[in-house]
Amino acid sequence: MIAALGLVFGVIAGLLFAPDVPLGLQNYLPIAVVAALDAVFGGLRAYLDGIFDDKVFVVSFVSNVVIAAAIVYLGDQLGVGAQLTTGVVVVLGIRIFSNVAAIRRHVFHA
């Protein structure tokens, strides 16, 4: 529940303050957002399963963002940044949708 509240607070703060992202980091922002969403939905699923651990959530959140950004950075250095970005988005997207499906099954008891 804390993760969902943090997400809502972060979205509202972002809309109110409209921060500027430095040009050098603009390629990494979408990846960081998708990685963070993966951690948030994973945390919500764990909460509904009754196995949520705040330390695991924080480590998952930070490591997802750092690893995803590192993969994209490596791709940029190798000249294949767009392909690795697509790969990261696809993998994290699959994880997000599987977590959302599990959350939906919990909510609707299906």
Coordinates of all heavy atoms in Angstrom, one line a residue:
M1 N 0.8 -1.2 0.0 CA 0.0 0.0 0.0 C 0.9 1.3 0.0 O 0.5 2.2 -0.6 CB -0.9 0.0 1.2 CG -2.0 1.0 1.2 SD -2.9 0.9 -0.4 CE -4.4 1.4 0.1
I2 N 2.0 1.2 0.7 CA 2.9 2.3 0.8 C 3.5 2.6 -0.6 O 3.6 3.8 -1.0 CB 4.0 2.0 1.8 CG1 3.5 2.0 3.2 CG2 5.1 3.1 1.6 CD1 4.5 1.5 4.2
A3 N 3.7 1.5 -1.4 CA 4.3 1.7 -2.7 C 3.3 2.4 -3.6 O 3.6 3.3 -4.4 CB 4.6 0.3 -3.3
A4 N 2.0 2.1 -3.5 CA 1.0 2.7 -4.3 C 0.8 4.2 -4.0 O 0.7 5.1 -4.8 CB -0.4 2.0 -4.2
L5 N 0.9 4.5 -2.7 CA 0.8 5.8 -2.2 C 2.0 6.7 -2.7 O 1.9 7.8 -3.1 CB 0.7 5.9 -0.7 CG -0.6 5.4 -0.1 CD1 -0.6 5.4 1.4 CD2 -1.8 6.2 -0.6
G6 N 3.2 6.0 -2.6 CA 4.4 6.7 -3.1 C 4.3 7.0 -4.6 O 4.7 8.0 -5.1
L7 N 3.8 6.0 -5.4 CA 3.6 6.2 -6.8 C 2.6 7.4 -7.1 O 3.0 8.3 -7.9 CB 3.1 5.0 -7.4 CG 2.8 5.1 -8.9 CD1 4.1 5.3 -9.7 CD2 2.1 3.8 -9.4
V8 N 1.5 7.4 -6.4 CA 0.6 8.5 -6.6 C 1.2 9.9 -6.2 O 1.1 10.9 -6.9 CB -0.7 8.3 -5.8 CG1 -1.6 9.5 -5.7 CG2 -1.5 7.1 -6.3
F9 N 1.9 9.9 -5.1 CA 2.5 11.1 -4.6 C 3.6 11.6 -5.6 O 3.7 12.8 -6.0 CB 3.2 10.9 -3.2 CG 4.0 12.1 -2.8 CD1 3.3 13.2 -2.3 CD2 5.3 12.1 -2.8 CE1 4.0 14.3 -1.8 CE2 6.1 13.2 -2.4 CZ 5.4 14.3 -1.9
G10 N 4.4 10.6 -6.2 CA 5.4 11.0 -7.1 C 4.8 11.5 -8.4 O 5.3 12.5 -9.0
V11 N 3.7 10.9 -8.9 CA 3.1 11.4 -10.1 C 2.5 12.8 -9.9 O 2.7 13.7 -10.7 CB 1.9 10.5 -10.6 CG1 1.1 11.1 -11.6 CG2 2.5 9.2 -11.0
I12 N 1.9 13.1 -8.8 CA 1.3 14.4 -8.5 C 2.5 15.4 -8.3 O 2.4 16.5 -8.9 CB 0.5 14.4 -7.2 CG1 -0.8 13.6 -7.5 CG2 0.1 15.8 -6.7 CD1 -1.6 13.3 -6.2
A13 N 3.5 15.1 -7.6 CA 4.7 16.0 -7.5 C 5.3 16.3 -8.9 O 5.6 17.4 -9.2 CB 5.7 15.4 -6.6
G14 N 5.4 15.3 -9.7 CA 5.9 15.5 -11.1 C 5.1 16.4 -11.9 O 5.6 17.2 -12.7
L15 N 3.8 16.3 -11.8 CA 2.8 17.1 -12.5 C 2.9 18.5 -12.0 O 2.8 19.5 -12.8 CB 1.4 16.5 -12.5 CG 1.2 15.2 -13.2 CD1 -0.2 14.7 -13.0 CD2 1.5 15.4 -14.7
L16 N 3.0 18.7 -10.7 CA 3.0 20.1 -10.1 C 4.3 20.8 -10.4 O 4.2 22.0 -10.7 CB 2.7 20.0 -8.6 CG 1.3 19.6 -8.2 CD1 1.3 19.5 -6.7 CD2 0.3 20.6 -8.7
F17 N 5.4 20.1 -10.3 CA 6.7 20.8 -10.4 C 7.3 20.8 -11.8 O 8.1 21.6 -12.1 CB 7.7 20.3 -9.4 CG 7.3 20.5 -7.9 CD1 6.9 19.4 -7.1 CD2 7.2 21.7 -7.4 CE1 6.6 19.6 -5.8 CE2 6.8 22.0 -6.1 CZ 6.5 20.9 -5.3
A18 N 6.8 19.9 -12.6 CA 7.3 19.7 -14.0 C 8.8 19.9 -14.1 O 9.3 20.8 -14.8 CB 6.5 20.7 -14.9
P19 N 9.6 19.0 -13.6 CA 11.0 19.1 -13.6 C 11.5 18.9 -15.0 O 11.0 18.2 -15.8 CB 11.5 18.0 -12.7 CG 10.4 17.0 -12.7 CD 9.1 17.7 -12.9
D20 N 12.7 19.6 -15.3 CA 13.3 19.4 -16.6 C 14.3 18.3 -16.5 O 15.1 18.3 -15.5 CB 14.0 20.7 -17.0 CG 13.0 21.8 -17.4 OD1 12.0 21.5 -17.9 OD2 13.4 23.0 -17.1
V21 N 14.3 17.4 -17.4 CA 15.3 16.3 -17.5 C 16.5 16.7 -18.3 O 16.3 17.1 -19.5 CB 14.6 15.0 -18.0 CG1 15.6 13.9 -18.1 CG2 13.4 14.6 -17.2
P22 N 17.7 16.6 -17.8 CA 18.9 17.0 -18.6 C 18.9 16.1 -19.9 O 18.5 15.0 -19.9 CB 20.0 16.6 -17.7 CG 19.5 16.6 -16.3 CD 18.1 16.2 -16.5
L23 N 19.4 16.7 -21.0 CA 19.4 16.1 -22.3 C 20.1 14.8 -22.3 O 19.7 13.8 -22.9 CB 20.1 17.0 -23.3 CG 20.0 16.6 -24.7 CD1 18.6 16.5 -25.2 CD2 20.8 17.6 -25.6
G24 N 21.2 14.7 -21.5 CA 21.9 13.4 -21.5 C 21.2 12.3 -20.8 O 21.6 11.1 -20.9
L25 N 20.2 12.6 -20.0 CA 19.5 11.5 -19.2 C 18.1 11.2 -19.9 O 17.4 10.3 -19.4 CB 19.3 12.0 -17.8 CG 20.6 12.2 -17.0 CD1 20.2 12.6 -15.6 CD2 21.4 10.9 -16.9
Q26 N 17.7 11.9 -20.9 CA 16.4 11.7 -21.5 C 16.2 10.3 -22.0 O 15.1 9.8 -22.0 CB 16.1 12.8 -22.5 CG 15.8 14.1 -21.9 CD 15.5 15.2 -23.0 OE1 15.6 14.9 -24.2 NE2 15.2 16.4 -22.5
N27 N 17.2 9.7 -22.5 CA 17.1 8.3 -23.0 C 16.8 7.3 -21.9 O 16.3 6.2 -22.1 CB 18.4 7.9 -23.7 CG 18.6 8.6 -25.0 OD1 17.6 9.2 -25.6 ND2 19.8 8.6 -25.5
Y28 N 17.2 7.7 -20.7 CA 17.1 6.7 -19.5 C 15.9 6.9 -18.7 O 15.5 6.0 -18.0 CB 18.4 6.9 -18.6 CG 19.6 6.7 -19.4 CD1 20.4 7.8 -19.8 CD2 20.1 5.4 -19.8 CE1 21.6 7.6 -20.5 CE2 21.2 5.2 -20.5 CZ 22.0 6.3 -20.8 OH 23.1 6.2 -21.6
L29 N 15.2 8.0 -18.8 CA 14.0 8.3 -18.0 C 12.9 7.3 -18.3 O 12.3 6.7 -17.4 CB 13.5 9.7 -18.2 CG 12.3 10.1 -17.4 CD1 12.6 10.0 -15.9 CD2 11.8 11.5 -17.8
P30 N 12.5 7.0 -19.6 CA 11.4 6.0 -19.8 C 11.8 4.6 -19.3 O 10.9 4.0 -18.7 CB 11.3 6.0 -21.3 CG 12.0 7.2 -21.8 CD 13.0 7.6 -20.8
I31 N 13.0 4.3 -19.4 CA 13.5 2.9 -18.9 C 13.4 2.9 -17.4 O 12.9 1.9 -16.8 CB 14.9 2.6 -19.3 CG1 15.0 2.5 -20.8 CG2 15.4 1.4 -18.7 CD1 14.0 1.5 -21.5
A32 N 13.8 4.0 -16.7 CA 13.7 4.1 -15.3 C 12.2 4.0 -14.8 O 11.9 3.4 -13.8 CB 14.4 5.3 -14.8
V33 N 11.4 4.7 -15.5 CA 9.9 4.7 -15.1 C 9.3 3.3 -15.3 O 8.6 2.8 -14.4 CB 9.1 5.7 -16.0 CG1 7.7 5.5 -15.8 CG2 9.6 7.1 -15.6
V34 N 9.6 2.6 -16.4 CA 9.1 1.3 -16.6 C 9.7 0.3 -15.5 O 9.0 -0.5 -15.0 CB 9.4 0.8 -18.0 CG1 9.1 -0.7 -18.2 CG2 8.7 1.6 -19.0
A35 N 11.0 0.4 -15.2 CA 11.6 -0.4 -14.2 C 11.0 -0.1 -12.8 O 10.7 -1.1 -12.0 CB 13.1 -0.2 -14.1
A36 N 10.7 1.1 -12.5 CA 10.1 1.5 -11.3 C 8.6 0.9 -11.2 O 8.2 0.4 -10.1 CB 10.1 3.0 -11.1
L37 N 7.9 1.0 -12.3 CA 6.5 0.5 -12.3 C 6.5 -1.0 -12.1 O 5.7 -1.5 -11.4 CB 5.8 0.9 -13.6 CG 5.4 2.3 -13.8 CD1 4.8 2.5 -15.2 CD2 4.3 2.6 -12.7
D38 N 7.5 -1.7 -12.7 CA 7.7 -3.1 -12.4 C 7.8 -3.4 -11.0 O 7.1 -4.3 -10.4 CB 8.8 -3.7 -13.2 CG 9.1 -5.1 -12.9 OD1 8.1 -5.9 -12.9 OD2 10.3 -5.5 -12.7
A39 N 8.7 -2.7 -10.3 CA 8.9 -2.9 -8.9 C 7.6 -2.6 -8.1 O 7.2 -3.3 -7.1 CB 10.0 -2.0 -8.4
V40 N 6.9 -1.5 -8.4 CA 5.7 -1.1 -7.7 C 4.6 -2.2 -7.9 O 4.0 -2.6 -6.9 CB 5.2 0.2 -8.2 CG1 3.8 0.5 -7.7 CG2 6.1 1.3 -7.8
F41 N 4.4 -2.7 -9.1 CA 3.3 -3.7 -9.3 C 3.8 -5.0 -8.6 O 2.9 -5.8 -8.1 CB 3.0 -3.9 -10.8 CG 2.2 -2.8 -11.3 CD1 2.6 -1.9 -12.3 CD2 0.9 -2.6 -10.8 CE1 1.9 -0.9 -12.8 CE2 0.1 -1.6 -11.3 CZ 0.6 -0.7 -12.3
G42 N 5.1 -5.3 -8.6 CA 5.5 -6.5 -7.9 C 5.3 -6.4 -6.4 O 4.9 -7.3 -5.8
G43 N 5.5 -5.2 -5.9 CA 5.3 -4.9 -4.5 C 3.8 -5.1 -4.1 O 3.5 -5.6 -3.1
L44 N 3.0 -4.5 -5.0 CA 1.5 -4.6 -4.8 C 1.1 -6.1 -4.8 O 0.3 -6.5 -4.0 CB 0.8 -3.8 -5.8 CG -0.8 -3.7 -5.6 CD1 -1.1 -3.2 -4.2 CD2 -1.3 -2.8 -6.7
R45 N 1.6 -6.8 -5.7 CA 1.3 -8.3 -5.8 C 1.8 -9.0 -4.6 O 1.0 -9.8 -4.0 CB 1.9 -8.9 -7.1 CG 1.7 -10.4 -7.2 CD 2.4 -10.9 -8.4 NE 2.1 -12.4 -8.5 CZ 2.5 -13.1 -9.5 NH1 3.3 -12.6 -10.4 NH2 2.2 -14.4 -9.5
A46 N 3.0 -8.7 -4.1 CA 3.5 -9.3 -2.9 C 2.6 -9.0 -1.7 O 2.4 -9.8 -0.8 CB 4.9 -8.9 -2.7
Y47 N 2.1 -7.7 -1.6 CA 1.3 -7.3 -0.5 C 0.0 -8.1 -0.5 O -0.5 -8.6 0.5 CB 1.0 -5.8 -0.7 CG 0.0 -5.3 0.4 CD1 0.4 -5.1 1.7 CD2 -1.3 -5.1 0.0 CE1 -0.5 -4.6 2.6 CE2 -2.2 -4.6 1.0 CZ -1.8 -4.4 2.3 OH -2.7 -4.0 3.2
L48 N -0.6 -8.3 -1.7 CA -1.8 -9.0 -1.8 C -1.6 -10.5 -1.5 O -2.5 -11.2 -1.0 CB -2.5 -8.9 -3.2 CG -3.0 -7.5 -3.5 CD1 -3.5 -7.4 -4.9 CD2 -4.2 -7.1 -2.5
D49 N -0.4 -11.0 -1.8 CA -0.1 -12.4 -1.5 C 0.3 -12.6 0.0 O 0.4 -13.7 0.4 CB 1.1 -12.9 -2.4 CG 0.7 -13.1 -3.8 OD1 -0.5 -13.3 -4.1 OD2 1.6 -13.2 -4.7
G50 N 0.4 -11.5 0.7 CA 0.8 -11.6 2.1 C 2.3 -11.8 2.4 O 2.6 -12.2 3.4
I51 N 3.1 -11.5 1.4 CA 4.6 -11.8 1.5 C 5.4 -10.5 1.3 O 6.6 -10.6 1.1 CB 5.0 -12.9 0.6 CG1 4.7 -12.5 -0.9 CG2 4.4 -14.2 1.0 CD1 5.4 -13.5 -1.9
F52 N 4.8 -9.3 1.4 CA 5.4 -8.1 1.2 C 6.5 -7.8 2.3 O 6.2 -8.0 3.4 CB 4.5 -6.9 1.1 CG 5.1 -5.6 0.9 CD1 5.5 -5.2 -0.4 CD2 5.4 -4.7 1.9 CE1 6.1 -4.0 -0.6 CE2 6.0 -3.5 1.7 CZ 6.3 -3.1 0.4
D53 N 7.7 -7.4 1.8 CA 8.8 -7.1 2.7 C 9.3 -5.7 2.2 O 9.7 -5.6 1.1 CB 9.8 -8.1 2.7 CG 11.0 -7.8 3.7 OD1 10.9 -6.8 4.5 OD2 11.9 -8.6 3.7
D54 N 9.3 -4.7 3.1 CA 9.7 -3.4 2.7 C 11.2 -3.3 2.2 O 11.5 -2.6 1.3 CB 9.4 -2.3 3.7 CG 10.0 -2.7 5.1 OD1 10.5 -3.8 5.3 OD2 10.1 -1.8 5.9
K55 N 12.0 -4.1 2.9 CA 13.4 -4.1 2.5 C 13.6 -4.7 1.1 O 14.4 -4.2 0.3 CB 14.3 -4.9 3.5 CG 14.3 -4.2 4.8 CD 15.1 -5.1 5.8 CE 15.0 -4.4 7.2 NZ 15.5 -5.2 8.3
V56 N 12.9 -5.8 0.8 CA 13.0 -6.4 -0.5 C 12.4 -5.5 -1.5 O 13.0 -5.4 -2.6 CB 12.2 -7.8 -0.5 CG1 12.0 -8.3 -1.9 CG2 12.8 -8.8 0.4
F57 N 11.4 -4.7 -1.2 CA 10.8 -3.8 -2.2 C 11.8 -2.7 -2.5 O 12.0 -2.4 -3.7 CB 9.5 -3.2 -1.6 CG 9.0 -2.1 -2.5 CD1 8.4 -2.3 -3.7 CD2 9.1 -0.7 -2.1 CE1 7.9 -1.3 -4.5 CE2 8.7 0.3 -2.9 CZ 8.1 0.0 -4.1
V58 N 12.4 -2.1 -1.5 CA 13.4 -1.0 -1.8 C 14.6 -1.5 -2.6 O 15.0 -0.9 -3.6 CB 13.9 -0.4 -0.5 CG1 15.0 0.5 -0.7 CG2 12.7 0.3 0.2
V59 N 15.1 -2.7 -2.3 CA 16.2 -3.3 -3.1 C 15.7 -3.6 -4.5 O 16.4 -3.3 -5.5 CB 16.7 -4.6 -2.4 CG1 17.7 -5.3 -3.3 CG2 17.4 -4.2 -1.1
S60 N 14.5 -4.1 -4.6 CA 14.0 -4.4 -6.0 C 13.8 -3.1 -6.8 O 14.2 -3.1 -8.0 CB 12.7 -5.2 -5.8 OG 12.0 -5.3 -7.1
F61 N 13.3 -2.1 -6.2 CA 13.0 -0.9 -6.8 C 14.3 -0.2 -7.3 O 14.5 0.1 -8.5 CB 12.3 0.1 -5.9 CG 11.9 1.4 -6.5 CD1 10.6 1.5 -7.0 CD2 12.7 2.5 -6.6 CE1 10.1 2.6 -7.6 CE2 12.2 3.7 -7.1 CZ 10.9 3.7 -7.6
V62 N 15.3 -0.1 -6.4 CA 16.6 0.5 -6.8 C 17.3 -0.4 -7.8 O 17.8 0.1 -8.8 CB 17.4 0.8 -5.6 CG1 18.8 1.2 -5.9 CG2 16.7 1.8 -4.7
S63 N 17.4 -1.7 -7.6 CA 18.2 -2.5 -8.5 C 17.5 -2.6 -9.9 O 18.2 -2.6 -10.9 CB 18.4 -3.9 -7.9 OG 17.1 -4.6 -7.8
N64 N 16.2 -2.6 -10.0 CA 15.5 -2.6 -11.3 C 15.9 -1.4 -12.1 O 16.2 -1.5 -13.2 CB 14.0 -2.6 -11.1 CG 13.4 -4.0 -11.0 OD1 14.2 -5.0 -10.8 ND2 12.1 -4.1 -10.9
V65 N 15.8 -0.2 -11.4 CA 16.2 1.0 -12.1 C 17.6 1.1 -12.5 O 18.0 1.4 -13.7 CB 15.8 2.2 -11.3 CG1 16.3 3.5 -11.9 CG2 14.3 2.3 -11.1
V66 N 18.5 0.7 -11.6 CA 20.0 0.8 -11.9 C 20.3 -0.2 -13.0 O 21.1 0.1 -13.9 CB 20.8 0.5 -10.6 CG1 22.2 0.3 -10.9 CG2 20.6 1.7 -9.7
I67 N 19.9 -1.5 -12.9 CA 20.2 -2.5 -13.9 C 19.6 -2.1 -15.3 O 20.3 -2.2 -16.3 CB 19.8 -3.9 -13.4 CG1 20.6 -4.3 -12.2 CG2 19.9 -4.9 -14.6 CD1 20.1 -5.5 -11.5
A68 N 18.4 -1.7 -15.3 CA 17.8 -1.3 -16.6 C 18.6 -0.1 -17.2 O 18.9 -0.1 -18.4 CB 16.3 -0.9 -16.4
A69 N 18.9 0.9 -16.4 CA 19.7 2.0 -17.0 C 21.1 1.6 -17.4 O 21.6 2.0 -18.4 CB 19.8 3.1 -15.9
A70 N 21.7 0.6 -16.7 CA 23.0 0.2 -17.0 C 23.0 -0.6 -18.4 O 23.9 -0.5 -19.2 CB 23.6 -0.7 -15.9
I71 N 21.9 -1.4 -18.6 CA 21.8 -2.1 -19.8 C 21.7 -1.1 -21.0 O 22.3 -1.3 -22.1 CB 20.6 -3.1 -19.8 CG1 20.9 -4.2 -18.8 CG2 20.3 -3.6 -21.2 CD1 19.8 -5.1 -18.5
V72 N 20.8 -0.1 -20.8 CA 20.6 0.9 -21.9 C 21.9 1.7 -22.1 O 22.3 1.9 -23.2 CB 19.5 1.8 -21.6 CG1 19.4 2.9 -22.6 CG2 18.2 1.0 -21.5
Y73 N 22.6 2.0 -21.0 CA 23.9 2.7 -21.2 C 24.9 1.9 -21.9 O 25.6 2.4 -22.9 CB 24.5 3.1 -19.8 CG 25.8 3.7 -19.9 CD1 26.0 5.0 -20.2 CD2 27.0 3.0 -19.6 CE1 27.2 5.6 -20.3 CE2 28.2 3.6 -19.6 CZ 28.3 4.9 -20.0 OH 29.6 5.5 -20.1
L74 N 25.0 0.6 -21.6 CA 25.9 -0.3 -22.3 C 25.5 -0.4 -23.8 O 26.4 -0.3 -24.7 CB 25.8 -1.7 -21.7 CG 26.7 -2.8 -22.4 CD1 28.2 -2.4 -22.3 CD2 26.4 -4.1 -21.8
G75 N 24.2 -0.4 -24.1 CA 23.8 -0.4 -25.5 C 24.1 0.8 -26.2 O 24.5 0.8 -27.4
D76 N 24.0 2.0 -25.5 CA 24.4 3.2 -26.1 C 25.9 3.2 -26.4 O 26.4 3.7 -27.5 CB 24.1 4.4 -25.2 CG 22.7 4.8 -25.2 OD1 21.9 4.3 -26.1 OD2 22.2 5.5 -24.2
Q77 N 26.7 2.7 -25.5 CA 28.2 2.6 -25.8 C 28.5 1.7 -26.9 O 29.5 1.9 -27.6 CB 28.9 2.2 -24.5 CG 28.7 3.1 -23.3 CD 29.1 4.6 -23.7 OE1 30.2 4.8 -24.1 NE2 28.2 5.5 -23.4
L78 N 27.7 0.6 -27.1 CA 28.0 -0.3 -28.2 C 27.3 0.1 -29.5 O 27.5 -0.6 -30.5 CB 27.5 -1.7 -27.8 CG 28.2 -2.3 -26.6 CD1 27.5 -3.6 -26.2 CD2 29.7 -2.6 -26.9
G79 N 26.5 1.1 -29.5 CA 25.8 1.6 -30.7 C 24.5 0.8 -30.9 O 24.0 0.9 -32.0
V80 N 24.0 0.1 -30.0 CA 22.8 -0.6 -30.1 C 21.8 -0.3 -29.0 O 21.0 -1.1 -28.6 CB 23.0 -2.2 -30.2 CG1 23.7 -2.6 -31.4 CG2 23.7 -2.6 -28.9
G81 N 21.8 1.0 -28.6 CA 21.0 1.5 -27.5 C 19.5 1.3 -27.8 O 18.8 0.9 -26.9
A82 N 19.0 1.5 -29.0 CA 17.6 1.4 -29.3 C 17.2 0.0 -29.2 O 16.1 -0.3 -28.6 CB 17.3 1.9 -30.7
Q83 N 18.0 -1.0 -29.6 CA 17.6 -2.4 -29.5 C 17.5 -2.9 -28.1 O 16.6 -3.6 -27.7 CB 18.6 -3.2 -30.4 CG 18.5 -3.0 -31.8 CD 19.3 -1.9 -32.4 OE1 19.9 -1.1 -31.6 NE2 19.4 -1.7 -33.7
L84 N 18.5 -2.5 -27.3 CA 18.5 -2.9 -25.9 C 17.4 -2.2 -25.1 O 16.9 -2.8 -24.2 CB 19.9 -2.7 -25.3 CG 21.0 -3.7 -25.6 CD1 22.3 -3.4 -24.9 CD2 20.5 -5.1 -25.2
T85 N 17.1 -1.0 -25.5 CA 16.0 -0.3 -24.8 C 14.7 -1.0 -25.1 O 13.9 -1.2 -24.2 CB 15.9 1.2 -25.3 OG1 17.1 1.9 -25.0 CG2 14.7 1.9 -24.7
T86 N 14.5 -1.4 -26.3 CA 13.3 -2.2 -26.7 C 13.3 -3.5 -25.9 O 12.2 -3.9 -25.4 CB 13.3 -2.5 -28.2 OG1 13.3 -1.2 -28.9 CG2 12.0 -3.2 -28.6
G87 N 14.4 -4.2 -25.8 CA 14.4 -5.4 -25.1 C 14.1 -5.2 -23.6 O 13.3 -6.0 -23.1
V88 N 14.6 -4.2 -23.0 CA 14.3 -4.0 -21.6 C 12.9 -3.6 -21.4 O 12.2 -4.2 -20.5 CB 15.2 -2.8 -21.1 CG1 14.8 -2.3 -19.7 CG2 16.7 -3.2 -21.0
V89 N 12.3 -2.8 -22.3 CA 10.9 -2.5 -22.2 C 10.0 -3.7 -22.4 O 9.0 -3.9 -21.6 CB 10.5 -1.4 -23.2 CG1 9.0 -1.2 -23.3 CG2 11.2 0.0 -22.8
V90 N 10.3 -4.6 -23.3 CA 9.6 -5.8 -23.5 C 9.6 -6.7 -22.3 O 8.6 -7.2 -21.8 CB 10.0 -6.5 -24.8 CG1 9.4 -7.9 -24.9 CG2 9.7 -5.7 -26.0
V91 N 10.8 -6.9 -21.8 CA 10.9 -7.8 -20.6 C 10.2 -7.3 -19.4 O 9.4 -8.0 -18.7 CB 12.4 -8.1 -20.3 CG1 12.6 -8.8 -18.9 CG2 13.1 -8.9 -21.4
L92 N 10.4 -6.0 -19.1 CA 9.7 -5.4 -18.0 C 8.2 -5.3 -18.2 O 7.4 -5.4 -17.3 CB 10.3 -4.0 -17.6 CG 11.8 -4.1 -17.1 CD1 12.3 -2.7 -16.9 CD2 11.9 -4.8 -15.8
G93 N 7.8 -5.0 -19.4 CA 6.4 -5.0 -19.8 C 5.7 -6.3 -19.5 O 4.6 -6.4 -19.0
I94 N 6.4 -7.4 -19.9 CA 5.8 -8.7 -19.6 C 5.7 -9.0 -18.1 O 4.7 -9.5 -17.6 CB 6.7 -9.8 -20.3 CG1 6.6 -9.8 -21.8 CG2 6.4 -11.2 -19.7 CD1 7.6 -10.6 -22.5
R95 N 6.7 -8.5 -17.4 CA 6.6 -8.7 -15.9 C 5.5 -7.8 -15.3 O 4.8 -8.3 -14.4 CB 7.9 -8.3 -15.2 CG 9.0 -9.3 -15.5 CD 10.4 -8.9 -15.0 NE 10.3 -8.2 -13.7 CZ 10.8 -8.7 -12.6 NH1 11.4 -9.8 -12.6 NH2 10.7 -8.0 -11.5
I96 N 5.3 -6.6 -15.8 CA 4.3 -5.7 -15.3 C 2.9 -6.4 -15.6 O 2.0 -6.4 -14.7 CB 4.4 -4.3 -15.9 CG1 5.6 -3.6 -15.4 CG2 3.1 -3.5 -15.7 CD1 5.9 -2.3 -16.1
F97 N 2.7 -6.9 -16.8 CA 1.4 -7.4 -17.2 C 1.1 -8.7 -16.4 O 0.0 -9.0 -16.0 CB 1.3 -7.7 -18.7 CG 1.0 -6.4 -19.4 CD1 1.9 -5.8 -20.2 CD2 -0.3 -5.8 -19.4 CE1 1.6 -4.6 -20.9 CE2 -0.6 -4.7 -20.0 CZ 0.4 -4.1 -20.8
S98 N 2.1 -9.5 -16.1 CA 1.9 -10.7 -15.3 C 1.6 -10.4 -13.9 O 0.7 -11.0 -13.3 CB 3.1 -11.7 -15.4 OG 4.2 -11.1 -14.7
N99 N 2.2 -9.3 -13.3 CA 1.9 -8.9 -12.0 C 0.4 -8.3 -11.9 O -0.3 -8.5 -11.0 CB 2.9 -7.8 -11.5 CG 4.2 -8.5 -11.0 OD1 4.2 -9.6 -10.6 ND2 5.3 -7.8 -11.2
V100 N 0.1 -7.5 -13.0 CA -1.3 -6.9 -13.0 C -2.3 -8.1 -13.1 O -3.4 -8.0 -12.5 CB -1.4 -5.9 -14.2 CG1 -2.8 -5.5 -14.4 CG2 -0.6 -4.7 -13.9
A101 N -2.0 -9.1 -13.9 CA -2.9 -10.2 -14.0 C -3.1 -10.9 -12.7 O -4.2 -11.3 -12.3 CB -2.4 -11.2 -15.0
A102 N -2.0 -11.1 -11.9 CA -2.1 -11.7 -10.6 C -2.9 -10.8 -9.6 O -3.7 -11.3 -8.8 CB -0.7 -12.0 -10.0
I103 N -2.7 -9.5 -9.7 CA -3.4 -8.6 -8.9 C -4.9 -8.6 -9.2 O -5.8 -8.6 -8.3 CB -2.9 -7.1 -9.1 CG1 -1.5 -7.0 -8.5 CG2 -3.8 -6.1 -8.4 CD1 -0.7 -5.8 -8.9
R104 N -5.2 -8.7 -10.5 CA -6.6 -8.8 -10.9 C -7.3 -10.0 -10.4 O -8.4 -10.0 -10.0 CB -6.7 -8.7 -12.5 CG -8.1 -8.7 -13.0 CD -8.1 -8.6 -14.5 NE -7.4 -9.7 -15.1 CZ -6.3 -9.6 -15.9 NH1 -5.8 -8.4 -16.1 NH2 -5.7 -10.6 -16.4
R105 N -6.6 -11.2 -10.5 CA -7.1 -12.4 -9.9 C -7.4 -12.3 -8.4 O -8.3 -12.8 -7.9 CB -6.1 -13.6 -10.2 CG -6.2 -14.0 -11.6 CD -5.4 -15.3 -11.8 NE -4.0 -15.2 -11.6 CZ -3.1 -14.9 -12.5 NH1 -3.5 -14.6 -13.7 NH2 -1.8 -14.8 -12.1
H106 N -6.5 -11.6 -7.7 CA -6.7 -11.4 -6.3 C -7.9 -10.5 -6.0 O -8.8 -10.8 -5.2 CB -5.5 -10.7 -5.6 CG -4.5 -11.6 -5.0 ND1 -4.8 -12.2 -3.8 CD2 -3.3 -12.0 -5.4 CE1 -3.7 -13.0 -3.5 NE2 -2.8 -12.8 -4.4
V107 N -8.0 -9.4 -6.8 CA -9.1 -8.5 -6.5 C -10.5 -9.1 -6.9 O -11.5 -9.0 -6.2 CB -8.9 -7.2 -7.4 CG1 -10.1 -6.3 -7.3 CG2 -7.7 -6.5 -6.8
F108 N -10.5 -9.9 -8.0 CA -11.8 -10.4 -8.5 C -12.0 -11.9 -8.1 O -13.0 -12.5 -8.5 CB -12.0 -10.2 -10.0 CG -12.1 -8.8 -10.4 CD1 -11.1 -8.2 -11.1 CD2 -13.2 -8.0 -10.0 CE1 -11.1 -6.9 -11.5 CE2 -13.3 -6.7 -10.3 CZ -12.3 -6.1 -11.1
H109 N -11.0 -12.4 -7.4 CA -11.1 -13.8 -6.9 C -11.3 -14.8 -8.0 O -12.1 -15.7 -7.9 CB -12.1 -14.0 -5.8 CG -11.9 -13.1 -4.7 ND1 -10.9 -13.2 -3.8 CD2 -12.6 -11.9 -4.3 CE1 -11.0 -12.2 -2.9 NE2 -12.0 -11.4 -3.2
A110 N -10.7 -14.6 -9.2 CA -10.9 -15.4 -10.3 C -9.8 -16.5 -10.4 O -8.7 -16.3 -10.1 CB -11.0 -14.6 -11.6

